[in-house]
Amino acid sequence: MLANLPALPMGTIVTAIMFIGLLFATRLPGLNILQRLPLLLRQIVGSIVIIAGMWNVFWHAVRHLTEFWGIAALISGLLMILVGIYIARVGWLPNALNRLMPVALFLLLACACFYAWTIVNL
């Protein structure tokens, strides 16, 4: 049954995970309701964001470092790993990285929007 389903391109999956990670990591009024979800659920989402970031860095970026999308995968993947840790275990990050989290979230938002824009225009 599952064999008949069309495969989603990994770029689409990674982009969706970027946006989900942004929603779970934001502390903006109105969107911070996700912070009240059970810790286990936040840890699962954070782990998914970390895994997708690791795929971006260690699978796609390493294989395409001389290309634009390889560099984009490296940057967005490292940001996803950072944001995933922030979602799952904020205490694991040094204070300096916690203070820089708004910048990291903005950069990840820029990456996610660029990925989405590119996918829509394919």
Side-chain angles (χ1 to χ4, degrees):
M1 177 161 200
L2 291 176
N4 296 332
L5 294 175
L8 284 174
M10 196 61 188
T12 303
I13 294 168
V14 169
T15 303
I17 293 172
M18 282 188 221
F19 282 115
I20 291 168
L22 286 164
L23 287 173
F24 272 79
T26 189
R27 304 296 192 254
L28 295 174
L31 293 177
N32 63 356
I33 191 166
L34 296 174
Q35 306 311 312
R36 294 186 211 122
L37 290 174
L39 177 62
L40 180 61
L41 180 60
R42 293 191 318 252
Q43 289 174 336
I44 290 170
V45 170
S47 297
I48 291 169
V49 173
I50 292 168
I51 290 167
M54 290 175 71
W55 182 89
N56 245 12
V57 171
F58 297 115
W59 177 254
H60 190 78
V62 169
R63 296 174 59 204
H64 302 280
L65 267 179
T66 60
E67 302 169 14
F68 173 79
W69 285 109
I71 295 167
L74 178 65
I75 294 167
S76 63
L78 291 173
L79 289 167
M80 290 174 73
I81 293 168
L82 179 65
V83 169
I85 294 169
Y86 183 71
I87 294 168
R89 297 282 184 175
V90 70
W92 286 359
L93 294 175
N95 288 335
L97 286 179
N98 277 326
R99 285 193 300 272
L100 288 175
M101 194 51 60
V103 174
L105 292 174
F106 177 78
L107 292 174
L108 186 59
L109 176 63
C111 290
C113 289
F114 184 69
Y115 275 52
W117 179 79
T118 302
I119 290 168
V120 167
N121 288 302
L122 285 178

